[in-house]
Amino acid sequence: MTTPPALLIAGHGTRDDAGAEAFRDFVRQLGARHPELPVAGGFIELSPPPLGEAVTELVEQGVRRFAAVPLMLVSAGHAKGDIPAALAREKERHPGISYTYGRPLGPHPALLNVLERRLDEALGSAGRTPGDRSDVTVLLVGRGSTDPDANAEVHKAARLLWEGRGYAGVETAFVSLAAPDVPSGLDRCVRLGARRIVVLPYFLFTGILPDRVRHQTEGWAAAHPEVEVLSADVIGPEPELLDLVWERYEEAVKGDLRMNCDSCVYRIALPGFEDKVGMPQQPHFHPDDDDHHHGHGHGHQHGAHSHAH
């Protein structure tokens, strides 16, 4: 019987200790769920353990094949360039290993259900019944990226969250690198007629950026007492997230990868981003905080979306 490939979880990293521990605990939960195969996880920056250390951990257990799943909601530069480049470097460091690379989580229906639950929880804390949504506007706040494709994925999640769930509307904002920012997003909601808004962070775990979303929301709400503003929680290590990561693992193992490269900035000359087409991929590390107030200089060779190595 062929031994199944190990599972490697690739995280972004955060300077927030609670957020980093949430990731590490999530990896432990995955391992406990699937004792039949080795499971390890690491970060590409900011937090221990680094991704290379996680690969070494697997190799020291005798692993020669693994599937890497990026624990990320959108396919931005980290998922498109940094992680594939880091994995290629690990293959050079550990001759004889092979791996497949899965796709990011995306606006999967299971995660949309968790987001809906977070909204119900926020409304419930204000004394609202779960079905009482017709006057509720949601502001979905993503991380923000210099990659327009990644920002578009947050808008897609917002639209899918709106469809069929009875909210007055679902608008989009970003906490860094992309417009509109949180205060501007709240202003837009009001201009569209909102008087009751729930700000929903589109993040997996706690961290500096979700905290910043909450602080900016509270600051805006204090200046606009005529508008009811509530803050929802992050997605968190819910069973749906564990199931989805396993689904991405199985896709990678079976070769059933359906990544959409139609609007990838490293393949297609999008207006204003023409210089990124065909850029060579290199591991990219941020020296500063999670908000990365600079452009990403990493890229992605034509063909780097081929995730089997």
Side-chain angles (χ1 to χ4, degrees), residues 274-294:
E274 293 87 351
D275 61 329
K276 289 182 179 267
V277 176
M279 287 179 67
Q281 58 175 324
Q282 302 173 20
H284 175 73
F285 301 98
H286 293 290
D288 54 8
D289 205 346
D290 285 10
D291 52 349
H292 309 339
H293 290 301
H294 58 271

Side-chain angles (χ1 to χ4, degrees), residues 99-183:
Y99 62 88
T100 55
Y101 182 43
R103 58 183 174 134
L105 305 176
H108 191 281
L111 293 188
L112 294 172
N113 290 339
V114 178
L115 292 173
E116 183 179 10
R117 195 155 70 237
R118 294 292 176 259
L119 290 168
D120 282 345
E121 291 165 358
L123 291 169
S125 69
R128 301 291 296 269
T129 60
D132 190 10
R133 302 171 172 177
S134 60
D135 63 346
V136 174
T137 298
V138 178
L139 182 65
L140 184 70
V141 182
R143 171 183 293 274
S145 173
T146 56
D147 186 332
D149 187 32
N151 296 330
E153 287 188 34
V154 180
H155 280 268
K156 180 178 180 179
R159 184 70 204 190
L160 289 172
L161 187 63
W162 187 5
E163 295 279 0
R165 287 181 169 84
Y167 302 109
V170 180
E171 297 297 317
T172 310
F174 301 94
V175 73
S176 68
L177 293 174
D181 59 16
V182 174

Side-chain angles (χ1 to χ4, degrees), residues 14 16-26 28 43:
T14 173
D16 180 80
D17 291 340
E21 182 56 29
F23 171 90
R24 291 188 288 262
D25 185 61
F26 183 80
R28 288 190 288 267
F43 299 100

Side-chain angles (χ1 to χ4, degrees), residues 17-220:
D17 291 340
E21 182 56 29
F23 171 90
R24 291 188 288 262
D25 185 61
F26 183 80
V27 173
R28 288 190 288 267
Q29 289 185 56
L30 272 171
R33 265 194 172 204
H34 301 283
E36 72 279 7
L37 79 163
V39 177
F43 299 100
I44 56 174
E45 60 183 357
L46 298 173
S47 310
L51 192 61
E53 188 175 304
V55 173
T56 299
E57 175 188 333
L58 292 175
V59 171
E60 289 177 349
Q61 295 178 55
V63 169
R64 309 308 290 168
R65 297 186 305 137
F66 63 87
V69 175
L71 198 66
M72 298 174 182
L73 288 167
V74 302
S75 185
H78 294 303
K80 290 177 178 177
D82 294 339
I83 296 174
L87 291 175
R89 183 179 57 196
E90 292 309 309
K91 189 174 182 182
E92 292 179 359
R93 289 181 57 207
H94 302 284
I97 67 170
S98 63
Y99 62 88
T100 55
Y101 182 43
R103 58 183 174 134
L105 305 176
H108 191 281
L111 293 188
L112 294 172
N113 290 339
V114 178
L115 292 173
E116 183 179 10
R117 195 155 70 237
R118 294 292 176 259
L119 290 168
D120 282 345
E121 291 165 358
L123 291 169
S125 69
R128 301 291 296 269
T129 60
D132 190 10
R133 302 171 172 177
S134 60
D135 63 346
V136 174
T137 298
V138 178
L139 182 65
L140 184 70
V141 182
R143 171 183 293 274
S145 173
T146 56
D147 186 332
D149 187 32
N151 296 330
E153 287 188 34
V154 180
H155 280 268
K156 180 178 180 179
R159 184 70 204 190
L160 289 172
L161 187 63
W162 187 5
E163 295 279 0
R165 287 181 169 84
Y167 302 109
V170 180
E171 297 297 317
T172 310
F174 301 94
V175 73
S176 68
L177 293 174
D181 59 16
V182 174
S184 297
L186 288 164
D187 289 342
R188 173 177 169 79
C189 290
V190 171
R191 286 198 298 271
L192 291 170
R195 288 295 175 265
R196 180 171 286 110
I197 305 170
V198 182
V199 177
L200 177 62
Y202 193 44
F203 289 83
L204 292 174
F205 303 126
T206 58
I208 290 175
L209 294 183
D211 287 347
R212 186 170 298 149
V213 173
R214 185 175 290 269
H215 293 153
Q216 291 180 357
T217 298
E218 291 171 351
W220 187 94

